[in-house]
Amino acid sequence: IVAGTRETRVFQPRKKEKRMNLAKQLADGIAALGIALPQETQDRLLQYLALIRKWNQVHNLTAVREPETMLSRHLLDSLAILPYIAGPRVADVGSGAGLPGIPLALARPDWHVVLLESKRKKAVFLQQVCIELQLGNVEVVAERVENFHPENKFDTTISRAFSDLAEFIRLAGHLCAEGGKNGRLAAMKGIYPHEELGQLPLQFTV
């Protein structure tokens, strides 16, 4: 703020400067996670974040509004699970705004990621993201998970804030491939779910 005898002017950061700050925050976060992603992938992650912000103004994709918080709570949170899941076939149940499925698909272009989202408006957004980011390894399925019975099952079926563990297994367990180390369900939880783990069916191990 520059104060003079006749005027007060307020200078706001330019969009380019804000984008540079987000790019640095993303790069620093990826480095902290110990994940190596090329610059092109990081740029596309920021494009995806911009699409969420744009559509969020109309369709309420997420309650988080600030781009810096979106980057931390959505992008980096999704990428943090990369060392713990396996492909090449991954299903994201209740994908919503595409989290964690789209960040995973961007980070692992050799994987085939299916985004399951029953709400039509969100599914339309996911389709638009696939078009604009040219995500040839992503498939959007606008269907309830219990009604989705693909011929080829999945190495990892993942959910983020979808349901409790017992319900997740009941609805999505049929998507798991059988044999070897395949057929894993991965649930992203805010706190360690002690009570939910005690309610798991006996045929599932943690």
Side-chain angles (χ1 to χ4, degrees), residues 153-193:
K153 301 300 179 70
F154 296 91
D155 303 292
T156 298
T157 301
I158 194 165
S159 72
R160 183 176 186 262
F162 173 68
S163 68
D164 63 50
L165 293 178
E167 184 76 353
F168 180 36
I169 289 173
R170 184 182 72 82
L171 295 175
H174 67 280
L175 297 179
C176 292
E178 297 180 358
K181 296 182 179 180
N182 295 333
R184 291 183 175 181
L185 291 168
M188 301 179 69
K189 292 287 184 178
I191 59 175
Y192 197 79

Side-chain angles (χ1 to χ4, degrees), residues 50 74 80 150:
H74 293 334

Side-chain angles (χ1 to χ4, degrees), residues 41-96:
T41 299
Q42 295 185 40
D43 291 342
R44 294 174 81 195
L45 284 165
L46 291 176
Q47 291 175 31
Y48 168 52
L49 184 65
L51 286 171
I52 294 179
R53 292 176 61 197
K54 178 181 177 180
W55 280 64
N56 207 38
Q57 297 174 10
V58 178
H59 296 290
N60 195 29
L61 299 172
T62 172
V64 180
R65 300 291 177 179
E66 291 298 321
E68 293 82 3
T69 309
M70 281 185 177
L71 191 149
S72 175
R73 292 187 183 178
H74 293 334
L75 294 189
L76 294 177
D77 189 55
S78 297
L79 294 171
I81 62 172
L82 271 174
Y84 308 101
I85 63 173
R89 286 184 56 79
V90 175
D92 176 14
V93 177
S95 187

